[in-house]
Amino acid sequence: MKLQTALALALFVGLAPWVSAQPASQQDSIMQPSRVDQSQIGQSRDERLARDWGLGTEEWTRYEELMDGPLGIYSPNLDPLSALGVEARSDEERRRYAELQVHAESRRVEKLLAYQRAYDDAWQRLHPGLQRVSLPDATLGGMSIAGSGRTAVFVKDDCTLCASFVQRLQAAGTEFDLYMVGSRQDDARIRDLAKRMQIDPTRVRSGTITLNHDGGRWLSLGLAGELPAVVRQVNGQWQRQP
């Protein structure tokens, strides 16, 4: 045992002068990753994210700069195409980002519908003849959701696409009932969400848009896919809309 300890100490003592004799830059490279490597990793990540959205690296950099400014405060979860489109510097830029977003949304909806069909098939195989739970009647904000013929929109706080999705519905003049999943029955959470989504208070006061707690309704629907979700009652059944 003493012999092993002595050998270990001898190796350490022999190594110490070699380490101390190296230039500071070489010692740093031994002790920690190169800053150049870290920069290359960050650049590679940015290029990949930009490519996923159909953007160039300069456009991605502009998006990050926009989200570091007032836009990121008002709409912290705004997607890159919406952010660049809202802050477009020309009509040509605005058209480009609108077209990119149409393509992106189309691909997303196709995936959602494909999964919805797979979910429906799985339900029929695993629970043949069993009815799904219907959306319970609710009188939130003085309005009944069941049979109202209105559009129900389900969103949550940490949803990347929810804000831009709701803003597009609002801009189109759509009347809808907004349900916040995970609100914990806290009115302040819904008010804060509505403010960040830039929902027009006058439309809330007039009742063309209502703000509601989800209260477990999204789970009771048994519909597949991520939020946001637009749901309407069709022939007595609540169905997700593309």
Side-chain angles (χ1 to χ4, degrees), residues 58-63 65-66 83-97:
E58 291 184 1
E59 290 174 305
W60 185 261
T61 300
R62 173 166 164 72
Y63 160 67
E65 291 173 349
L66 289 172
L84 291 168
V86 168
E87 296 293 335
R89 294 163 293 189
S90 66
D91 290 341
E92 183 180 355
E93 273 194 355
R94 192 172 295 106
R95 282 193 297 270
R96 165 175 160 74
Y97 296 129

PDB file of all heavy atoms in Angstrom, residues 58-63 65-66 83-97:
ATOM      1  N   GLU A  58     -29.476  35.417 -40.660  1.00  0.00           N
ATOM      2  CA  GLU A  58     -29.657  36.837 -40.360  1.00  0.00           C
ATOM      3  C   GLU A  58     -31.076  37.115 -39.895  1.00  0.00           C
ATOM      4  O   GLU A  58     -31.301  37.933 -38.987  1.00  0.00           O
ATOM      5  CB  GLU A  58     -29.327  37.682 -41.599  1.00  0.00           C
ATOM      6  CG  GLU A  58     -27.846  37.681 -41.973  1.00  0.00           C
ATOM      7  CD  GLU A  58     -27.558  38.602 -43.142  1.00  0.00           C
ATOM      8  OE1 GLU A  58     -28.500  39.256 -43.643  1.00  0.00           O
ATOM      9  OE2 GLU A  58     -26.384  38.665 -43.567  1.00  0.00           O
ATOM     10  N   GLU A  59     -32.042  36.439 -40.504  1.00  0.00           N
ATOM     11  CA  GLU A  59     -33.440  36.608 -40.086  1.00  0.00           C
ATOM     12  C   GLU A  59     -33.625  36.074 -38.678  1.00  0.00           C
ATOM     13  O   GLU A  59     -34.366  36.658 -37.861  1.00  0.00           O
ATOM     14  CB  GLU A  59     -34.368  35.873 -41.048  1.00  0.00           C
ATOM     15  CG  GLU A  59     -34.442  36.517 -42.428  1.00  0.00           C
ATOM     16  CD  GLU A  59     -35.260  35.697 -43.400  1.00  0.00           C
ATOM     17  OE1 GLU A  59     -34.943  34.499 -43.574  1.00  0.00           O
ATOM     18  OE2 GLU A  59     -36.202  36.241 -43.992  1.00  0.00           O
ATOM     19  N   TRP A  60     -32.971  34.958 -38.355  1.00  0.00           N
ATOM     20  CA  TRP A  60     -33.085  34.404 -37.006  1.00  0.00           C
ATOM     21  C   TRP A  60     -32.474  35.356 -35.976  1.00  0.00           C
ATOM     22  O   TRP A  60     -33.025  35.541 -34.878  1.00  0.00           O
ATOM     23  CB  TRP A  60     -32.402  33.042 -36.933  1.00  0.00           C
ATOM     24  CG  TRP A  60     -32.606  32.393 -35.599  1.00  0.00           C
ATOM     25  CD1 TRP A  60     -31.742  32.364 -34.546  1.00  0.00           C
ATOM     26  CD2 TRP A  60     -33.775  31.687 -35.167  1.00  0.00           C
ATOM     27  NE1 TRP A  60     -32.295  31.698 -33.484  1.00  0.00           N
ATOM     28  CE2 TRP A  60     -33.532  31.266 -33.839  1.00  0.00           C
ATOM     29  CE3 TRP A  60     -34.985  31.374 -35.779  1.00  0.00           C
ATOM     30  CZ2 TRP A  60     -34.482  30.544 -33.105  1.00  0.00           C
ATOM     31  CZ3 TRP A  60     -35.925  30.651 -35.043  1.00  0.00           C
ATOM     32  CH2 TRP A  60     -35.666  30.246 -33.727  1.00  0.00           C
ATOM     33  N   THR A  61     -31.363  35.955 -36.328  1.00  0.00           N
ATOM     34  CA  THR A  61     -30.735  36.934 -35.435  1.00  0.00           C
ATOM     35  C   THR A  61     -31.666  38.118 -35.203  1.00  0.00           C
ATOM     36  O   THR A  61     -31.799  38.598 -34.067  1.00  0.00           O
ATOM     37  CB  THR A  61     -29.405  37.434 -36.027  1.00  0.00           C
ATOM     38  OG1 THR A  61     -28.511  36.320 -36.200  1.00  0.00           O
ATOM     39  CG2 THR A  61     -28.755  38.464 -35.114  1.00  0.00           C
ATOM     40  N   ARG A  62     -32.323  38.580 -36.273  1.00  0.00           N
ATOM     41  CA  ARG A  62     -33.273  39.692 -36.123  1.00  0.00           C
ATOM     42  C   ARG A  62     -34.441  39.283 -35.225  1.00  0.00           C
ATOM     43  O   ARG A  62     -34.904  40.076 -34.397  1.00  0.00           O
ATOM     44  CB  ARG A  62     -33.795  40.127 -37.493  1.00  0.00           C
ATOM     45  CG  ARG A  62     -34.923  41.164 -37.419  1.00  0.00           C
ATOM     46  CD  ARG A  62     -35.178  41.832 -38.757  1.00  0.00           C
ATOM     47  NE  ARG A  62     -36.459  42.518 -38.797  1.00  0.00           N
ATOM     48  CZ  ARG A  62     -36.732  43.652 -38.160  1.00  0.00           C
ATOM     49  NH1 ARG A  62     -35.796  44.233 -37.445  1.00  0.00           N
ATOM     50  NH2 ARG A  62     -37.931  44.198 -38.250  1.00  0.00           N
ATOM     51  N   TYR A  63     -34.926  38.055 -35.371  1.00  0.00           N
ATOM     52  CA  TYR A  63     -36.012  37.567 -34.514  1.00  0.00           C
ATOM     53  C   TYR A  63     -35.589  37.607 -33.040  1.00  0.00           C
ATOM     54  O   TYR A  63     -36.355  38.073 -32.170  1.00  0.00           O
ATOM     55  CB  TYR A  63     -36.401  36.144 -34.923  1.00  0.00           C
ATOM     56  CG  TYR A  63     -37.139  35.383 -33.855  1.00  0.00           C
ATOM     57  CD1 TYR A  63     -38.416  35.760 -33.454  1.00  0.00           C
ATOM     58  CD2 TYR A  63     -36.545  34.279 -33.224  1.00  0.00           C
ATOM     59  CE1 TYR A  63     -39.096  35.059 -32.465  1.00  0.00           C
ATOM     60  CE2 TYR A  63     -37.216  33.577 -32.242  1.00  0.00           C
ATOM     61  CZ  TYR A  63     -38.485  33.969 -31.868  1.00  0.00           C
ATOM     62  OH  TYR A  63     -39.151  33.273 -30.887  1.00  0.00           O
ATOM     63  N   GLU A  65     -33.333  39.467 -31.678  1.00  0.00           N
ATOM     64  CA  GLU A  65     -33.220  40.869 -31.253  1.00  0.00           C
ATOM     65  C   GLU A  65     -34.599  41.469 -30.979  1.00  0.00           C
ATOM     66  O   GLU A  65     -34.777  42.231 -30.024  1.00  0.00           O
ATOM     67  CB  GLU A  65     -32.497  41.672 -32.335  1.00  0.00           C
ATOM     68  CG  GLU A  65     -31.015  41.322 -32.476  1.00  0.00           C
ATOM     69  CD  GLU A  65     -30.360  42.006 -33.663  1.00  0.00           C
ATOM     70  OE1 GLU A  65     -31.108  42.583 -34.496  1.00  0.00           O
ATOM     71  OE2 GLU A  65     -29.115  41.951 -33.776  1.00  0.00           O
ATOM     72  N   LEU A  66     -35.585  41.130 -31.813  1.00  0.00           N
ATOM     73  CA  LEU A  66     -36.947  41.628 -31.613  1.00  0.00           C
ATOM     74  C   LEU A  66     -37.524  41.122 -30.293  1.00  0.00           C
ATOM     75  O   LEU A  66     -38.180  41.867 -29.556  1.00  0.00           O
ATOM     76  CB  LEU A  66     -37.851  41.201 -32.772  1.00  0.00           C
ATOM     77  CG  LEU A  66     -37.607  41.886 -34.117  1.00  0.00           C
ATOM     78  CD1 LEU A  66     -38.439  41.220 -35.213  1.00  0.00           C
ATOM     79  CD2 LEU A  66     -37.948  43.371 -34.036  1.00  0.00           C
ATOM     80  N   ALA A  83     -43.463  37.060 -35.304  1.00  0.00           N
ATOM     81  CA  ALA A  83     -42.676  38.193 -34.821  1.00  0.00           C
ATOM     82  C   ALA A  83     -42.087  38.986 -35.987  1.00  0.00           C
ATOM     83  O   ALA A  83     -42.180  40.218 -36.040  1.00  0.00           O
ATOM     84  CB  ALA A  83     -41.562  37.702 -33.898  1.00  0.00           C
ATOM     85  N   LEU A  84     -41.491  38.284 -36.936  1.00  0.00           N
ATOM     86  CA  LEU A  84     -40.889  38.959 -38.094  1.00  0.00           C
ATOM     87  C   LEU A  84     -41.959  39.584 -38.977  1.00  0.00           C
ATOM     88  O   LEU A  84     -41.741  40.642 -39.575  1.00  0.00           O
ATOM     89  CB  LEU A  84     -40.048  37.958 -38.890  1.00  0.00           C
ATOM     90  CG  LEU A  84     -38.774  37.463 -38.190  1.00  0.00           C
ATOM     91  CD1 LEU A  84     -38.177  36.275 -38.933  1.00  0.00           C
ATOM     92  CD2 LEU A  84     -37.738  38.580 -38.084  1.00  0.00           C
ATOM     93  N   GLY A  85     -43.110  38.928 -39.074  1.00  0.00           N
ATOM     94  CA  GLY A  85     -44.196  39.478 -39.884  1.00  0.00           C
ATOM     95  C   GLY A  85     -44.781  40.734 -39.287  1.00  0.00           C
ATOM     96  O   GLY A  85     -45.043  41.713 -39.992  1.00  0.00           O
ATOM     97  N   VAL A  86     -44.989  40.727 -37.971  1.00  0.00           N
ATOM     98  CA  VAL A  86     -45.535  41.909 -37.293  1.00  0.00           C
ATOM     99  C   VAL A  86     -44.578  43.090 -37.410  1.00  0.00           C
ATOM    100  O   VAL A  86     -44.992  44.238 -37.594  1.00  0.00           O
ATOM    101  CB  VAL A  86     -45.809  41.577 -35.806  1.00  0.00           C
ATOM    102  CG1 VAL A  86     -46.091  42.853 -35.014  1.00  0.00           C
ATOM    103  CG2 VAL A  86     -46.985  40.616 -35.684  1.00  0.00           C
ATOM    104  N   GLU A  87     -43.274  42.809 -37.329  1.00  0.00           N
ATOM    105  CA  GLU A  87     -42.264  43.870 -37.393  1.00  0.00           C
ATOM    106  C   GLU A  87     -41.619  43.966 -38.780  1.00  0.00           C
ATOM    107  O   GLU A  87     -40.489  44.426 -38.913  1.00  0.00           O
ATOM    108  CB  GLU A  87     -41.180  43.599 -36.341  1.00  0.00           C
ATOM    109  CG  GLU A  87     -41.674  43.650 -34.908  1.00  0.00           C
ATOM    110  CD  GLU A  87     -42.098  45.047 -34.493  1.00  0.00           C
ATOM    111  OE1 GLU A  87     -41.591  46.027 -35.096  1.00  0.00           O
ATOM    112  OE2 GLU A  87     -42.924  45.165 -33.566  1.00  0.00           O
ATOM    113  N   ALA A  88     -42.355  43.529 -39.805  1.00  0.00           N
ATOM    114  CA  ALA A  88     -41.816  43.579 -41.172  1.00  0.00           C
ATOM    115  C   ALA A  88     -41.469  45.007 -41.561  1.00  0.00           C
ATOM    116  O   ALA A  88     -42.175  45.959 -41.216  1.00  0.00           O
ATOM    117  CB  ALA A  88     -42.839  43.002 -42.147  1.00  0.00           C
ATOM    118  N   ARG A  89     -40.388  45.153 -42.311  1.00  0.00           N
ATOM    119  CA  ARG A  89     -39.922  46.485 -42.711  1.00  0.00           C
ATOM    120  C   ARG A  89     -40.399  46.882 -44.103  1.00  0.00           C
ATOM    121  O   ARG A  89     -40.105  47.974 -44.570  1.00  0.00           O
ATOM    122  CB  ARG A  89     -38.390  46.513 -42.637  1.00  0.00           C
ATOM    123  CG  ARG A  89     -37.848  46.362 -41.223  1.00  0.00           C
ATOM    124  CD  ARG A  89     -36.383  45.995 -41.188  1.00  0.00           C
ATOM    125  NE  ARG A  89     -36.141  44.653 -41.718  1.00  0.00           N
ATOM    126  CZ  ARG A  89     -34.976  44.021 -41.649  1.00  0.00           C
ATOM    127  NH1 ARG A  89     -33.947  44.617 -41.054  1.00  0.00           N
ATOM    128  NH2 ARG A  89     -34.832  42.814 -42.155  1.00  0.00           N
ATOM    129  N   SER A  90     -41.112  45.987 -44.761  1.00  0.00           N
ATOM    130  CA  SER A  90     -41.643  46.297 -46.095  1.00  0.00           C
ATOM    131  C   SER A  90     -42.797  45.353 -46.395  1.00  0.00           C
ATOM    132  O   SER A  90     -42.974  44.315 -45.734  1.00  0.00           O
ATOM    133  CB  SER A  90     -40.555  46.135 -47.164  1.00  0.00           C
ATOM    134  OG  SER A  90     -40.170  44.762 -47.280  1.00  0.00           O
ATOM    135  N   ASP A  91     -43.590  45.695 -47.398  1.00  0.00           N
ATOM    136  CA  ASP A  91     -44.689  44.825 -47.812  1.00  0.00           C
ATOM    137  C   ASP A  91     -44.164  43.483 -48.320  1.00  0.00           C
ATOM    138  O   ASP A  91     -44.797  42.440 -48.113  1.00  0.00           O
ATOM    139  CB  ASP A  91     -45.506  45.499 -48.923  1.00  0.00           C
ATOM    140  CG  ASP A  91     -46.295  46.693 -48.410  1.00  0.00           C
ATOM    141  OD1 ASP A  91     -46.493  46.778 -47.179  1.00  0.00           O
ATOM    142  OD2 ASP A  91     -46.693  47.538 -49.237  1.00  0.00           O
ATOM    143  N   GLU A  92     -43.008  43.516 -48.966  1.00  0.00           N
ATOM    144  CA  GLU A  92     -42.420  42.287 -49.490  1.00  0.00           C
ATOM    145  C   GLU A  92     -42.060  41.331 -48.346  1.00  0.00           C
ATOM    146  O   GLU A  92     -42.328  40.124 -48.421  1.00  0.00           O
ATOM    147  CB  GLU A  92     -41.170  42.616 -50.307  1.00  0.00           C
ATOM    148  CG  GLU A  92     -40.525  41.391 -50.954  1.00  0.00           C
ATOM    149  CD  GLU A  92     -39.290  41.735 -51.771  1.00  0.00           C
ATOM    150  OE1 GLU A  92     -38.998  42.953 -51.898  1.00  0.00           O
ATOM    151  OE2 GLU A  92     -38.630  40.811 -52.256  1.00  0.00           O
ATOM    152  N   GLU A  93     -41.450  41.877 -47.276  1.00  0.00           N
ATOM    153  CA  GLU A  93     -41.124  41.054 -46.116  1.00  0.00           C
ATOM    154  C   GLU A  93     -42.394  40.484 -45.486  1.00  0.00           C
ATOM    155  O   GLU A  93     -42.451  39.303 -45.125  1.00  0.00           O
ATOM    156  CB  GLU A  93     -40.379  41.888 -45.063  1.00  0.00           C
ATOM    157  CG  GLU A  93     -38.886  41.945 -45.264  1.00  0.00           C
ATOM    158  CD  GLU A  93     -38.170  42.488 -44.034  1.00  0.00           C
ATOM    159  OE1 GLU A  93     -38.851  42.915 -43.069  1.00  0.00           O
ATOM    160  OE2 GLU A  93     -36.935  42.485 -44.036  1.00  0.00           O
ATOM    161  N   ARG A  94     -43.414  41.335 -45.373  1.00  0.00           N
ATOM    162  CA  ARG A  94     -44.664  40.902 -44.746  1.00  0.00           C
ATOM    163  C   ARG A  94     -45.289  39.753 -45.525  1.00  0.00           C
ATOM    164  O   ARG A  94     -45.763  38.774 -44.939  1.00  0.00           O
ATOM    165  CB  ARG A  94     -45.630  42.088 -44.652  1.00  0.00           C
ATOM    166  CG  ARG A  94     -46.842  41.854 -43.766  1.00  0.00           C
ATOM    167  CD  ARG A  94     -47.636  43.133 -43.568  1.00  0.00           C
ATOM    168  NE  ARG A  94     -46.851  44.122 -42.822  1.00  0.00           N
ATOM    169  CZ  ARG A  94     -46.304  45.204 -43.362  1.00  0.00           C
ATOM    170  NH1 ARG A  94     -46.413  45.436 -44.667  1.00  0.00           N
ATOM    171  NH2 ARG A  94     -45.620  46.054 -42.618  1.00  0.00           N
ATOM    172  N   ARG A  95     -45.297  39.858 -46.847  1.00  0.00           N
ATOM    173  CA  ARG A  95     -45.848  38.784 -47.687  1.00  0.00           C
ATOM    174  C   ARG A  95     -45.022  37.508 -47.535  1.00  0.00           C
ATOM    175  O   ARG A  95     -45.577  36.399 -47.456  1.00  0.00           O
ATOM    176  CB  ARG A  95     -45.874  39.215 -49.154  1.00  0.00           C
ATOM    177  CG  ARG A  95     -47.011  40.158 -49.512  1.00  0.00           C
ATOM    178  CD  ARG A  95     -47.144  40.279 -51.012  1.00  0.00           C
ATOM    179  NE  ARG A  95     -45.947  40.860 -51.625  1.00  0.00           N
ATOM    180  CZ  ARG A  95     -45.776  42.160 -51.807  1.00  0.00           C
ATOM    181  NH1 ARG A  95     -46.718  43.017 -51.425  1.00  0.00           N
ATOM    182  NH2 ARG A  95     -44.671  42.624 -52.372  1.00  0.00           N
ATOM    183  N   ARG A  96     -43.708  37.646 -47.485  1.00  0.00           N
ATOM    184  CA  ARG A  96     -42.834  36.470 -47.357  1.00  0.00           C
ATOM    185  C   ARG A  96     -43.118  35.707 -46.070  1.00  0.00           C
ATOM    186  O   ARG A  96     -43.295  34.475 -46.090  1.00  0.00           O
ATOM    187  CB  ARG A  96     -41.371  36.909 -47.388  1.00  0.00           C
ATOM    188  CG  ARG A  96     -40.385  35.835 -46.905  1.00  0.00           C
ATOM    189  CD  ARG A  96     -38.943  36.279 -47.072  1.00  0.00           C
ATOM    190  NE  ARG A  96     -38.036  35.521 -46.225  1.00  0.00           N
ATOM    191  CZ  ARG A  96     -37.676  34.261 -46.447  1.00  0.00           C
ATOM    192  NH1 ARG A  96     -38.160  33.616 -47.483  1.00  0.00           N
ATOM    193  NH2 ARG A  96     -36.844  33.634 -45.635  1.00  0.00           N
ATOM    194  N   TYR A  97     -43.204  36.432 -44.939  1.00  0.00           N
ATOM    195  CA  TYR A  97     -43.419  35.748 -43.669  1.00  0.00           C
ATOM    196  C   TYR A  97     -44.837  35.190 -43.578  1.00  0.00           C
ATOM    197  O   TYR A  97     -45.061  34.138 -42.963  1.00  0.00           O
ATOM    198  CB  TYR A  97     -43.127  36.697 -42.507  1.00  0.00           C
ATOM    199  CG  TYR A  97     -41.673  37.122 -42.471  1.00  0.00           C
ATOM    200  CD1 TYR A  97     -41.305  38.460 -42.388  1.00  0.00           C
ATOM    201  CD2 TYR A  97     -40.652  36.171 -42.548  1.00  0.00           C
ATOM    202  CE1 TYR A  97     -39.970  38.841 -42.372  1.00  0.00           C
ATOM    203  CE2 TYR A  97     -39.316  36.541 -42.533  1.00  0.00           C
ATOM    204  CZ  TYR A  97     -38.984  37.878 -42.454  1.00  0.00           C
ATOM    205  OH  TYR A  97     -37.659  38.247 -42.450  1.00  0.00           O
TER     206      TYR A  97
END
